[in-house]
Amino acid sequence: MDWRLPGGVTRMILVRHGKPSEEMKGRCYGRLDVSLAPEGHVQAQRAASLLSQVELHGLYSSPRLRALDTAKRVAEGRGVGLQVEEAFREIDFGLFEGLTYEEAERRFPSRYAEWMAHPEQVRFPEGETFSEMRERVREGGRALRARHPGQCFALVSHGGVNRTLLAEALGMADQHLFRLDQVHAAVNVIDFYGDEPVVKLMNLEP
């Protein structure tokens, strides 16, 4: 990809965090603060290397440790401050947090079945709905674009956050959100021509 920014274009680079620690494999984690696995640190460094030649006018991160650890790699040697933005935290799974999928199904069978059938509609017990996450993420995205008109900035966060912003740019319905893959440390690029988005790059594994 040609990383030179065309005149008048606002560029949003979305990076998913690296692979989280192994104890979370097969478990629900959104608000839980999970560190990166050794492989995740390697992935974060690869993403940082990929973006090393990109001039960034802003660098933002979800407050979750797995995103912050990834963002710190991107920030190294840049001279650009890393800012934490609450709007871009992953969805809150409520009482599902930390449970395996089997445990969640056993403890909350009807809610789990609803989640499997309509993930964009379910409210997690004592947690969030997707629509609540979607609105805070979209509002946060608009705020960042307003801060950086005609500039390039990067946001390091989560698969759900990236899918939400990509789906908005593509005009996708909520129920199709999971058609968008986001591997660990995936890099995505959305260019905005005024308010018109163009997805330039998606789910690039560094």
Side-chain angles (χ1 to χ4, degrees), residues 14-22 24-25 29 33-48 61-62 64-74 90 155-159 162 182-187 204-206:
L14 305 174
V15 182
R16 188 187 180 192
H17 62 77
K19 182 180 179 181
S21 55
E22 283 296 324
M24 286 296 107
K25 187 175 182 179
Y29 59 95
D33 241 353
V34 181
S35 60
L36 293 179
E39 183 182 350
H41 285 286
V42 172
Q43 292 168 332
Q45 186 57 56
R46 288 176 181 164
S61 175
S62 155
R64 301 296 176 245
L65 184 60
R66 55 195 182 274
L68 275 169
D69 283 349
T70 304
K72 286 174 183 176
R73 293 298 183 97
V74 178
E90 184 60 286
L155 167 64
V156 182
S157 61
H158 308 273
N162 288 359
Q182 285 292 287
V183 298
H184 289 121
V187 175
L204 177 64
E205 185 174 5

Side-chain angles (χ1 to χ4, degrees), residues 19-196:
K19 182 180 179 181
S21 55
E22 283 296 324
E23 67 263 24
M24 286 296 107
K25 187 175 182 179
R27 295 183 180 274
C28 303
Y29 59 95
R31 73 166 184 264
L32 288 180
D33 241 353
V34 181
S35 60
L36 293 179
E39 183 182 350
H41 285 286
V42 172
Q43 292 168 332
Q45 186 57 56
R46 288 176 181 164
S49 296
L50 177 67
L51 299 174
S52 62
Q53 301 304 312
V54 180
E55 183 181 5
L56 296 177
H57 292 89
L59 178 59
Y60 302 91
S61 175
S62 155
R64 301 296 176 245
L65 184 60
R66 55 195 182 274
L68 275 169
D69 283 349
T70 304
K72 286 174 183 176
R73 293 298 183 97
V74 178
E76 287 175 358
R78 284 189 172 274
V80 61
L82 173 59
Q83 298 183 54
V84 174
E85 294 285 341
E86 286 286 336
F88 302 110
R89 64 190 186 276
E90 184 60 286
I91 195 167
D92 185 344
F93 286 104
L95 296 179
F96 281 27
E97 290 280 348
L99 300 181
T100 65
Y101 291 94
E102 293 78 11
E103 289 168 341
E105 183 177 20
R106 187 167 59 251
R107 295 187 195 183
F108 306 96
S110 60
R111 199 67 62 91
Y112 183 87
E114 184 183 357
W115 181 29
M116 292 297 103
H118 302 288
E120 80 284 1
Q121 296 178 16
V122 69
R123 174 180 290 281
F124 294 100
E126 299 186 18
E128 282 186 296
T129 63
F130 169 72
S131 61
E132 288 170 339
M133 186 196 79
R134 179 193 63 208
E135 292 312 307
R136 64 172 163 80
V137 168
R138 287 183 175 182
E139 183 178 346
R142 288 191 292 269
L144 292 189
R145 297 200 307 271
R147 287 184 210 173
H148 296 284
Q151 296 179 338
C152 177
F153 64 91
L155 167 64
V156 182
S157 61
H158 308 273
V161 172
N162 288 359
R163 289 185 182 98
T164 298
L165 292 169
L166 287 164
E168 180 186 26
L170 293 167
M172 291 177 63
D174 290 348
Q175 63 266 31
H176 300 322
L177 192 76
F178 290 97
R179 294 179 180 180
L180 301 173
D181 193 16
Q182 285 292 287
V183 298
H184 289 121
V187 175
N188 312 265
V189 177
I190 308 174
D191 281 355
F192 291 86
Y193 296 79
D195 291 328
E196 288 297 315

